[in-house]
Amino acid sequence: MRKLALDDDILLNIEKPARYIGHEVNSVMKDKKAVEIRFAMCFPEVYEVGMSHLGIQILYDMFNRREDTWCERVYSPWIDLDKIMREKHIPLFTLESQDPVKEFDFLGITLQFEMCYTNVLQVLDLSGIPLHSEYRTLEDPFVIGGGPCVYNTEPLAEFFDMFYIGEGEVVYDELLEAYKKWKRAGKSRKEFLEMAAEIEGIYVPSFYDVTYKEDGTIESFLPNNPHAKEKIKRVVAADMSQTTYPLKPVVPFIKVTQDRAVLEIQRGCIRGCRFCQAGMVYRPTRPRDINMLKETARAMLKNTGHEEITLSSLSSSDYNELEEIVTFLIDEFHTQGVNISLPSLRIDAFSLDVMSKVQDVRKSSLTFAPEAGTQRMRNVINKGLTEDDILNGAGQAFEGGWTKVKLYFMLGLPTETQEDMEGIAVLADKVARRYYEIPKDQRNGKCQITASSSFFVPKPFSPLQWATMQPMEEYIRRAGIVQEAFRNQLNRKSLRYNWHTAEVTVLEGVFARGDRKVGKVLEEAYRLGCIYDAWDEYFDYDKWLQAFENTGVDMDFYNLRKRELDEIFPWDFINCGVTKSFLIREWKNAMEGNVTPNCRAKCSGCGAASYGGGVCFEGKN
């Protein structure tokens, strides 16, 4: 009989105890004595957010297909339980066995967003695992990081034994086999890390030394161990139809952020938006086979009882068989009341036609992401959308019965002028005007246009990684300019405007492009009580400012200085396929406002063809 890690008194006195008890439908139970490897898979956020993440579902399924491995899940305890665990000295535990994380062979942590970094320290701390990798012994799990933030691991370098750079489906089996071999040989912790460092895509930060110039920039980044490679190549699954995919995803007990089946239709994006890290590091674009998707959808819906399925992709409209998969889902499941959601669609007649098939237009809103208010700025970021595209798409949507539209923009992009800022309000107003051009007797009341702006953060491996950010006060000033422009629009009663928190933006900027020196800020902020920084109600900017002051680290060095094209970046040791020369070329194109065609229209020689698959080889024998 499985014993819960938390007693009834605790469970009855915390919010949502179902976050911590496990045993959900499709969760995997094994005999821990019958396996050689125990892997704790962690999403360092609250259960509802972590359970919505596809990557963990994929790895959980993949690991548990191995007879020698039991993969279990662990999430960050919410604030109420965090306090109780510290007071009562309860170690962090996994959901399946309820065993302490410290007893596992591996702790894998997915890194999705910079503002979750203090939660990584919370997970290590509550587990009783030394925060710094150098102090861990054979009694501690090996801590491995993965996910999109590993394209700059350096702010977290001291806290992880290793990082997995690339797609999880590729070399984990090799790593686990190496672990079994090491364990049987009874060797030292360092010797396993040396074996791991030999595997493509695995980066062991302790095997590298960084030296700095007088101005604080990096002078050299070199291996200090013969097993470590000078360059770590991102690992990529060349054929997405041959990878494992969960047919029986775990079904949560409580409502989670994405409470539905998720079907990844392709990986990567052909568009080449210059602000977008994902569009660069997930190259080349690789679609999944249509028949594989149909069978997977059928199995997932049968095995979960979900009433909604999301077709997941960075740009769903660019999946060649989108219409076929949507038609299949409608034909197969319409009698069962299954809803289909289609995020990441472009504004065109084809997408709207597909949307109208799957959505009740009276209830839903359409989401478009023009990203910038003027054509000049959309050319700078290579958005590949004209104002005519936006207004025609909105017009077709309104004529199709939609009355609510959400528009997403970015403020603080390089070369931005006041005209670009005010252009956000002007474009939103033009969208509203397009609605009121429809004869009154054919309209469904008033339209509602909600515009939201986040502040641009330069990310590693994007062409805008050289961009200078702004001081926090400047972001707030720019949002004020946009807000004032909204007040001056003809259709202001149909328009709404909101913006992202500027304080979070400047911190995200530091950790997105920071080096090893900012790790001590992270640790100090955690010591001062910072966790759940992605949540407005728990984010405490004053504590962060105190952490920078206490550690003597200058935030402006990371955000406000000009970066030269030949500067060594903290992530330059990673080969992600896309070459630095291509990124420099695209940075220069951005500064000149030149547009680069998408990957299907013309190959731009970015370097991703070296992976030998996907869109780079479409139609070529």
Side-chain angles (χ1 to χ4, degrees):
M1 181 67 184
R2 193 179 68 124
K3 186 177 183 298
L4 294 178
L6 303 175
D7 62 35
D8 290 351
D9 282 349
I10 294 173
L11 289 169
L12 290 168
N13 283 290
I14 56 173
E15 189 185 316
K16 300 184 184 177
R19 289 168 171 160
Y20 311 107
I21 59 177
H23 238 313
E24 308 99 319
V25 171
N26 297 334
S27 61
V28 177
M29 299 303 293
K30 294 189 180 185
D31 176 359
K32 62 186 177 189
K33 297 187 184 76
V35 295
E36 282 188 78
I37 301 169
R38 298 190 71 192
F39 199 113
M41 182 68 72
C42 173
F43 194 105
E45 248 289 356
V46 73
Y47 175 89
E48 292 93 313
V49 176
M51 276 295 287
S52 304
H53 184 246
L54 175 63
I56 282 195
Q57 293 268 20
I58 290 173
L59 293 178
Y60 180 83
D61 178 78
M62 187 176 91
F63 288 174
N64 281 321
R65 289 188 191 195
R66 292 178 60 114
E67 286 186 13
D68 60 3
T69 303
W70 186 12
C71 179
E72 304 181 41
R73 292 162 299 133
V74 60
Y75 303 105
S76 282
W78 190 240
I79 303 292
D80 54 354
L81 182 59
D82 176 282
K83 184 170 180 282
I84 292 168
M85 290 176 79
R86 291 174 197 276
E87 286 170 357
K88 295 184 179 289
H89 305 289
I90 300 168
L92 188 60
F93 53 90
T94 58
L95 267 59
E96 281 76 1
S97 66
Q98 301 276 301
D99 287 344
V101 169
K102 191 174 165 68
E103 294 176 7
F104 282 66
D105 300 292
F106 287 93
L107 170 59
I109 303 178
T110 184
L111 303 166
Q112 293 292 316
F113 178 42
E114 290 83 0
M115 299 315 294
C116 288
Y117 286 178
T118 51
N119 279 42
V120 170
L121 301 188
Q122 174 211 25
V123 165
L124 294 172
D125 195 10
L126 289 176
S127 299
I129 299 168
L131 294 187
H132 291 248
S133 60
E134 63 181 306
Y135 299 123
R136 291 176 198 146
T137 69
L138 289 170
E139 302 302 306
D140 297 299
F142 287 99
V143 181
I144 181 166
C149 289
V150 298
Y151 295 102
N152 179 19
T153 60
E154 295 309 274
L156 294 167
E158 293 173 82
F159 312 118
F160 280 79
D161 295 300
M162 56 189 135
F163 293 94
Y164 183 117
I165 296 175
E167 296 173 350
E169 298 96 336
V170 188
V171 297
Y172 257 124
D173 282 333
E174 195 178 338
L175 183 68
L176 298 182
E177 289 302 321
Y179 178 78
K180 288 198 303 186
K181 193 174 171 184
W182 166 82
K183 198 173 181 181
R184 288 167 190 162
K187 293 184 174 179
S188 70
R189 194 173 173 91
K190 183 182 177 185
E191 283 170 307
F192 174 64
L193 292 175
E194 288 178 337
M195 290 170 77
E198 298 269 1
I199 298 169
E200 186 125 294
I202 303 294
Y203 164 55
V204 179
S206 61
F207 291 168
Y208 295 79
D209 292 326
V210 191
T211 60
Y212 297 93
K213 298 177 182 174
E214 274 186 33
D215 65 2
T217 60
I218 293 173
E219 181 169 31
S220 69
F221 186 99
L222 295 167
N224 59 31
N225 186 298
H227 297 271
K229 309 176 190 74
E230 271 197 42
K231 280 264 186 186
I232 306 289
K233 188 175 184 186
R234 172 183 72 116
V235 290
V236 166
D239 184 352
M240 292 309 298
S241 302
Q242 299 302 312
T243 59
T244 51
Y245 201 84
L247 303 179
K248 291 184 172 184
V250 182
V251 183
F253 281 137
I254 55 175
K255 187 166 176 55
V256 298
T257 313
Q258 307 274 336
D259 210 354
R260 56 189 74 117
V262 180
L263 189 64
E264 184 188 35
I265 55 177
Q266 67 180 5
R267 200 168 287 175
C269 181
I270 62 171
R271 294 290 160 181
C273 297
R274 294 181 180 128
F275 58 83
C276 182
Q277 181 189 57
M280 297 293 152
V281 300
Y282 292 120
R283 290 186 175 203
T285 304
R286 289 146 290 144
R288 291 190 189 269
D289 175 71
I290 185 73
N291 294 317
M292 175 258 186
L293 291 177
K294 289 176 182 178
E295 290 308 310
T296 303
R298 201 177 266 133
M300 288 172 85
L301 289 167
K302 179 188 170 193
N303 293 327
T304 62
H306 279 306
E307 295 175 342
E308 185 170 345
I309 186 165
T310 292
L311 302 185
S312 168
S313 162
L314 289 171
S315 180
S316 306
S317 310
D318 295 321
Y319 179 63
N320 285 336
E321 276 104 1
L322 183 66
E323 194 161 17
E324 185 178 342
I325 187 66
V326 167
T327 304
F328 163 79
L329 292 169
I330 292 168
D331 292 346
E332 189 88 358
F333 300 108
H334 74 281
T335 57
Q336 297 167 39
V338 172
N339 292 320
I340 304 161
S341 76
L342 284 162
S344 313
L345 284 175
R346 290 177 69 78
I347 313 169
D348 55 32
F350 164 68
S351 299
L352 289 163
D353 181 50
V354 172
M355 287 284 275
S356 64
K357 288 177 183 173
V358 302
Q359 276 199 357
D360 180 343
V361 295
R362 289 164 303 183
K363 294 179 186 172
S364 58
S365 62
L366 277 181
T367 300
F368 298 152
E371 309 292 2
T374 63
Q375 194 57 48
R376 186 197 76 81
M377 185 53 83
R378 283 191 293 277
N379 291 350
V380 166
I381 60 176
N382 206 47
K383 183 61 190 175
L385 266 185
T386 65
E387 188 170 288
D388 282 348
D389 293 333
I390 296 162
L391 297 180
N392 289 340
Q396 287 165 346
F398 294 142
E399 283 153 15
W402 276 280
T403 57
K404 296 177 192 165
V405 172
K406 292 179 182 172
L407 299 171
Y408 287 115
F409 297 93
M410 274 185 286
L411 272 174
L413 287 159
T415 78
E416 184 175 70
T417 65
Q418 183 153 336
E419 186 183 347
D420 297 319
M421 299 172 215
E422 292 170 343
I424 291 172
V426 172
L427 181 59
D429 186 66
K430 284 179 180 176
V431 171
R433 285 184 193 205
R434 182 65 187 80
Y435 177 75
Y436 292 113
E437 286 170 11
I438 298 170
K440 197 169 185 180
D441 60 337
Q442 293 169 32
R443 292 184 221 145
N444 297 319
K446 289 185 175 179
C447 71
Q448 185 184 309
I449 315 298
T450 304
S452 301
S453 63
S454 59
F455 298 111
F456 164 68
V457 176
K459 293 288 171 100
F461 295 108
S462 69
L464 300 188
Q465 64 181 358
W466 287 275
T468 302
M469 289 181 69
Q470 305 295 330
M472 186 189 72
E473 298 74 19
E474 175 61 13
Y475 288 125
I476 295 167
R477 187 186 77 84
R478 293 187 186 199
I481 288 171
V482 179
Q483 189 175 38
E484 184 59 31
F486 268 92
R487 290 194 188 109
N488 296 330
Q489 297 309 309
L490 180 70
N491 295 291
R492 57 186 169 275
K493 287 184 179 174
S494 296
L495 307 178
R496 284 187 193 164
Y497 174 60
N498 49 60
W499 64 91
H500 188 56
T501 314
E503 291 90 341
V504 169
T505 301
V506 294
L507 289 178
E508 198 185 327
V510 171
F511 292 110
R513 294 191 293 178
D515 51 25
R516 290 191 181 186
K517 289 180 283 190
V518 303
K520 59 187 176 184
V521 180
L522 195 59
E523 195 171 346
E524 179 64 6
Y526 175 69
R527 192 189 66 78
L528 292 170
C530 293
I531 54 170
Y532 282 106
D533 296 299
W535 295 72
D536 288 347
E537 62 264 47
Y538 295 109
F539 175 67
D540 190 332
Y541 189 57
D542 289 338
K543 284 180 181 170
W544 277 100
L545 291 180
Q546 188 67 53
F548 278 95
E549 191 179 320
N550 291 357
T551 53
V553 173
D554 180 12
M555 198 188 294
D556 293 352
F557 173 79
Y558 296 98
N559 287 351
L560 303 185
R561 69 184 173 83
K562 184 174 186 277
R563 285 164 167 77
E564 301 299 335
L565 292 177
D566 61 353
E567 180 177 330
I568 296 173
F569 288 149
W571 52 90
D572 275 351
F573 69 93
I574 299 170
N575 169 9
C576 82
V578 173
T579 62
K580 198 164 188 179
S581 59
F582 168 75
L583 294 173
I584 289 172
R585 196 162 77 234
E586 279 296 276
W587 166 249
K588 289 176 178 174
N589 279 331
M591 293 304 99
E592 292 163 13
N594 297 331
V595 173
T596 301
N598 74 63
C599 299
R600 283 205 176 106
K602 184 187 176 189
C603 176
S604 300
C606 73
S610 63
Y611 284 108
V615 72
C616 306
F617 294 87
E618 266 179 20
K620 298 173 188 173
N621 296 321

